[in-house]
Amino acid sequence: MSPAQILSEALHATMCERAAAGGPLMPPHGQHAADIMAQLTDAGVSVVHTGEIAYADQVYALLRDVADELGERGRIGRTLLNGSYPTGANVARQELLDRIANLRGGRRV
């Protein structure tokens, strides 16, 4: 089923449950949203806030870049493996720490 179909089914199920219980079909917005989320969860659908997805993408990109810098071709990796380019390693280290601090809301690590 598409996300729209799942949402439609969840909305329909929620309204049917409310009608069967004798309650109002359209409860307060917060309760209605919670009921729909419960129906979606019961259907096995994970709902994630888009801000969390964006943050996860940022963290993944940072971890990928850390791995690249630590690899044998990265600025830090080359320095660790053969002692070359220590200035570049320090710059890479600071860049990565700044990105981590940015993800943590400006708090230094």
Side-chain angles (χ1 to χ4, degrees), residues 75-76 79 84-97:
R75 292 175 287 180
I76 296 172
T79 299
S84 66
Y85 205 43
T87 301
N90 286 330
V91 170
R93 175 188 168 277
Q94 192 57 53
E95 288 172 358
L96 295 172
L97 287 174

Side-chain angles (χ1 to χ4, degrees), residues 67-80 84-85 89 92:
D68 289 346
E69 288 293 358
L70 291 173
E72 62 186 39
R73 288 189 221 140
R75 292 175 287 180
I76 296 172
R78 285 195 314 255
T79 299
L80 292 173
S84 66
Y85 205 43

Side-chain angles (χ1 to χ4, degrees), residues 2 4 11 13 18 21 30-31 40-41 47 66 70-71 84 106:
S2 73
L11 178 59
R18 292 197 163 275
Q31 180 60 48
L40 290 172
T41 300
V47 179
V66 167
L70 291 173
S84 66

Side-chain angles (χ1 to χ4, degrees), residues 7-49:
L7 188 56
S8 176
E9 290 290 325
L11 178 59
H12 177 73
T14 299
M15 292 180 79
C16 287
E17 286 176 8
R18 292 197 163 275
L25 291 182
M26 295 302 288
H29 178 72
Q31 180 60 48
H32 194 57
D35 290 345
I36 290 172
M37 292 299 287
Q39 291 287 332
L40 290 172
T41 300
D42 291 346
V45 176
S46 296
V47 179
V48 180
H49 189 275

